[in-house]
Amino acid sequence: PDSNGLHCKMPSAIVHRLAFMSPLQPRRRAVATIWPLLVVAGVVLMGVLLLLPEPSFVFSSAAASRRGLLGGVAGLLASAVGQPRAKAANEPADEPCACCERDWCGCGDKCTDCHVYLAAKGFKVPLDIAVAFDAAGKVGWGTALGWQAARMPRWQPVANEDVKVEGSTLEGAGQGLFAAAQLPKGAVLPPYQGPQLSFAEAERGGTYMWCPAKAREVIGDLKDSSVKRGSWLDGPSFCVDAQPLVKGNPSRYVNAAATEKQCKAVNTEICQIGGVMYYRTTQPVAPGAELVTDYGSTYWPGFDSCQLVTENDLLGKLNSRISGL
């Protein structure tokens, strides 16, 4: 069909030609010719870049570029030799969220939210944000989630008394959230709560605002002047603003690393299920330790992300990729 949904008629001579043309033949010849050259060039480039000195404390733009380039080269090599992504033995090729049966937190861009998949598989999931909104309203929706009673792969909810709010150890951060008991790796902190926002409110942004993945896409599209605006902007975006909800909302106080030095304190990650954000520990956390996360590359002005500067990040990723070739 053409762009209007109408079926176009192709000349019979072209149809006859396409019927006897295998699109794989020229592609295979091109790959057979080019990929050995890419592999050789990539290996040489990695060797040169790894020999360059890298500062231990000051993370310069040159170092950032080198890290990104090395990651790209390693990825190029993996693609050139056809290295597949590791899958569980029972993971169907056509199920992008099958990884959720191993980890409720999903698998990145491939499946950002496991709620629908796990519910369909019979797991006991917390309510999603829309249902909780209908049950308890714009402000109280978090109390209706039933998150501590959920039963999902690697789901380890903390008890309310396992975390406490105190003065942060991070310079200039105000208050922070701390472990009041020993927390295992994978411990799920209370949901990130706050009054829900309309699309119009979310478009204005906020220091404590968080949006589900789909809402972020819609809000990003609003920057395009061709998008038709209207009354739908007053509808719920399911973005939340945690700033006014200071009581009964401990995850509001999880601070994020803003420097390379602070990245060494990162011990939690951000997950989403049912459109709700939960922090999860990435390592065992001792009593009295502050819970620190990474907000990513767009939050702090002048600071990229701890994913780029964490100690041994570069060599660790390179070694894991190269060992898989």
Side-chain angles (χ1 to χ4, degrees):
D2 65 7
S3 59
N4 296 316
L6 302 177
H7 289 271
C8 302
K9 195 170 183 179
M10 187 178 291
S12 58
I14 297 178
V15 173
H16 180 77
R17 182 180 178 189
L18 291 175
F20 292 93
M21 181 183 293
S22 171
L24 296 178
Q25 295 298 329
R27 190 176 300 171
R28 286 172 177 165
R29 287 197 298 269
V31 170
T33 302
I34 294 173
W35 83 260
L37 299 177
L38 292 175
V39 171
V40 173
V43 170
V44 171
L45 182 56
M46 280 197 296
V48 171
L49 291 171
L50 285 172
L51 289 174
L52 294 176
E54 185 164 350
S56 56
F57 292 101
V58 180
F59 184 59
S60 66
S61 58
S65 299
R66 176 146 51 97
R67 289 178 187 271
L69 182 56
L70 280 168
V73 170
L76 176 62
L77 291 175
S79 300
V81 298
Q83 178 69 12
R85 180 182 68 84
K87 289 186 177 182
N90 61 347
E91 182 175 329
D94 58 346
E95 286 280 14
C97 286
C99 60
C100 298
E101 294 189 59
R102 302 194 305 275
D103 188 350
W104 69 272
C105 193
C107 36
D109 292 338
K110 186 177 181 184
C111 185
T112 58
D113 197 317
C114 288
H115 193 273
V116 172
Y117 181 90
L118 290 177
K121 291 293 182 180
F123 289 94
K124 186 176 182 180
V125 298
L127 292 185
D128 67 45
I129 195 167
V131 175
F133 176 85
D134 289 340
K138 178 178 179 178
V139 177
W141 61 270
T143 61
L145 291 171
W147 66 280
Q148 288 173 316
R151 297 293 182 268
M152 300 179 292
R154 298 190 183 182
W155 180 261
Q156 302 179 76
V158 302
N160 294 337
E161 60 270 19
D162 287 345
V163 292
K164 59 183 178 179
V165 177
E166 293 183 348
S168 176
T169 60
L170 303 182
E171 183 178 357
Q175 292 184 300
L177 189 66
F178 291 75
Q182 179 71 35
L183 302 181
K185 177 181 179 181
V188 181
L189 305 186
Y192 191 81
Q193 304 171 59
Q196 292 199 32
L197 307 176
S198 67
F199 281 105
E201 292 170 327
E203 186 182 11
R204 292 194 287 269
T207 305
Y208 287 80
M209 188 182 80
W210 184 85
C211 293
K214 289 184 178 180
R216 287 197 298 272
E217 293 177 7
V218 174
I219 293 168
D221 290 341
L222 290 175
K223 297 178 182 178
D224 187 343
S225 59
S226 65
V227 173
K228 186 177 181 180
R229 309 174 75 88
S231 59
W232 66 270
L233 287 170
D234 296 324
S237 66
F238 301 116
C239 298
V240 301
D241 182 6
Q243 186 166 13
L245 190 60
V246 297
K247 293 184 179 180
N249 188 21
S251 289
R252 174 193 187 277
Y253 296 95
V254 174
N255 290 312
T259 67
E260 179 177 356
K261 183 178 180 180
Q262 291 177 357
C263 283
K264 296 178 180 179
V266 170
N267 53 17
T268 69
E269 62 183 340
I270 296 174
C271 297
Q272 173 187 316
I273 188 161
V276 179
M277 190 260 272
Y278 297 85
Y279 290 110
R280 178 172 74 168
T281 58
T282 57
Q283 62 192 50
V285 180
E290 184 168 6
L291 295 156
V292 181
T293 195
D294 178 12
Y295 285 162
S297 60
T298 60
Y299 189 84
W300 298 114
F303 180 72
D304 286 326
S305 167
C306 289
Q307 295 177 6
L308 296 175
V309 302
T310 301
E311 188 176 5
N312 295 326
D313 173 71
L314 172 63
L315 291 179
K317 286 187 176 181
L318 279 177
N319 288 337
S320 64
R321 288 176 178 174
I322 292 172
S323 65
L325 296 180

